[in-house]
Amino acid sequence: MSARERIVVIGAGAFGTALAAVISLEGRHPVTLIGRDPSLMSDLRDDRVHDAALPGVPLPDALEFSAEPDAIGEASLVLFAMPSQAQADAARHYGPYLAEGAVVVTCAKGIDKSSGRLLTEVLEAELPHHQVAVLSGPGFAADIARGLPTAMAIAAADRALAERLATALSSRTFRLYASTDRIGVQLGGALKNVLAIACGIIEGAGLGDSARAALISRGLAEMSRLIEAMGGKADTVRGLSGLGDLVLTGNSHQSRNLRFGIALGQTGGNWGDPAETVGGPLVEGAFAASVAARLGEKFSVELPVTNAVADIIDGKLDIMTAMEQLMTRPITTE
């Protein structure tokens, strides 16, 4: 039996709440969900349901709630479940309250827009005395919270730590696979959002399922090239954080990135601010596209699909021209 951990999840949105719920369900470890809104956290404690984020999903009796940052003071594992662009600010806010030796796990799928750094790099710069891991893979918040079977990857620089985290956070319905490829797992999570937008564009523009299949396979190829160029393992693309997550996000209408792409395809690319679309929640892939394109230039890696998505979002390219450019690239081997 694994050692008992005290676990805190920071971020009371849909994904953070779902993670806290599934980890606490079996009662193996005490789990606290922390949010910044005292009124919301009080309501969650009393009502045991988060109607705004996970309507109709009961939250476990064992799950604790708090709006106080010092509630993380005794935690051995702290999960950062806020959006990718908020992770640095969260580290600065909560960092002083972390216990010595606490492990931090980033649960967002993105790249820091201002610096182009991976989120583990961002958190390590802000929290230099703490080990940082990453959780990523195919899992919608609603499925996780309802106890539907879900598998994801968790990566740490040290294999023993990755295995410890996988054991501590897994349950009968939520299975984690340990990895040491933090670069590959993070880039897979970030780039699949960009590719999911591209899948949505194809659907919205009525370009057919054959086009979607071609895009997924070629998108995985460019994802693999960038991962390897940045020091990760190309094989990671074939796992949960690459292929697995793209299959989910690029096909399911639960995905905000797919729905954003569909809207782009239907409107020809004129859809406004990605932070304010598709019913309000931000679209991580819209932020990641331009950052990934810059990384491709920095590491001399060709990313034709990613570049096309970035240019469409930025209004530099219309969809039909983008498709023509992709289809008329020089013929090469697979």
Side-chain angles (χ1 to χ4, degrees):
M1 185 174 179
S2 62
R4 190 170 173 83
E5 309 271 7
R6 179 168 287 278
I7 300 168
V8 163
V9 179
I10 303 176
F15 195 63
T17 304
L19 286 176
V22 75
I23 296 167
S24 67
L25 190 59
E26 296 180 8
R28 293 189 298 124
H29 310 286
V31 181
T32 300
L33 176 64
I34 292 182
R36 293 201 184 191
D37 183 347
S39 177
L40 171 62
M41 304 317 291
S42 178
D43 288 344
L44 294 181
R45 185 185 304 110
D46 294 340
D47 301 336
R48 296 285 152 181
V49 65
H50 195 334
D51 284 326
L54 296 168
V57 179
L59 300 177
D61 291 338
L63 179 58
E64 301 173 12
F65 302 91
S66 178
E68 300 300 325
D70 58 7
I72 71 175
E74 297 181 1
S76 54
L77 306 180
V78 180
L79 279 59
F80 275 39
M82 67 291 299
S84 60
Q85 306 309 312
Q87 297 253 323
D89 285 343
R92 287 189 285 271
H93 179 74
Y94 291 102
Y97 301 94
L98 287 169
E100 183 178 354
V103 177
V104 175
V105 182
T106 176
C107 303
K109 299 172 182 177
I111 305 168
D112 185 66
K113 187 176 182 180
S114 62
S115 66
R117 292 182 297 176
L118 300 178
L119 298 182
T120 52
E121 296 172 322
V122 171
L123 294 182
E124 284 173 339
E126 298 291 343
L127 306 169
H129 303 296
H130 296 272
Q131 295 184 85
V132 179
V134 55
L135 171 70
S136 191
F140 287 136
D143 293 346
I144 293 170
R146 289 190 174 96
L148 300 179
T150 303
M152 300 181 74
I154 191 156
D158 176 69
R159 177 168 294 280
L161 176 59
E163 292 174 350
R164 169 190 161 193
L165 294 171
T167 300
L169 301 177
S170 291
S171 69
R172 284 172 293 180
T173 63
F174 185 63
R175 183 177 177 86
L176 298 183
Y177 287 81
S179 169
T180 57
D181 185 11
R182 294 190 302 171
I183 294 172
V185 168
Q186 286 177 95
L187 285 175
L191 295 181
K192 66 86 188 178
N193 284 332
V194 179
L195 297 175
I197 292 174
C199 288
I201 290 172
I202 284 175
E203 181 173 335
L207 298 177
D209 289 338
S210 297
R212 189 199 303 255
L215 183 142
I216 288 174
S217 60
R218 297 316 304 162
L220 287 170
E222 66 182 58
M223 184 191 295
S224 176
R225 291 195 295 269
L226 184 60
I227 287 173
E228 196 166 28
M230 291 182 62
K233 301 174 183 176
D235 284 351
T236 300
V237 168
R238 297 202 294 264
L240 289 163
S241 60
L243 174 61
D245 212 352
L246 180 55
V247 167
L248 179 69
T249 314
N251 288 284
S252 172
H253 285 208
Q254 287 190 62
S255 165
R256 292 193 297 268
N257 292 285
L258 181 75
R259 297 200 309 271
F260 178 61
I262 291 171
L264 287 172
Q266 291 172 339
T267 61
N270 182 21
W271 189 252
D273 185 349
E276 300 175 355
T277 58
V278 197
L282 64 81
V283 180
E284 291 277 21
F287 293 105
S290 61
V291 182
R294 293 200 302 270
L295 288 174
E297 292 180 4
K298 178 180 178 180
F299 290 94
S300 300
V301 176
E302 287 193 351
L303 304 174
V305 176
T306 298
N307 291 339
V309 172
D311 286 345
I312 290 170
I313 292 172
D314 290 343
K316 300 176 181 177
L317 193 63
D318 67 83
I319 290 169
M320 290 303 110
T321 301
M323 292 301 110
E324 182 178 356
Q325 290 179 358
L326 288 171
M327 293 300 292
T328 57
R329 283 170 52 80
I331 299 297
T332 184
T333 56
E334 187 174 34

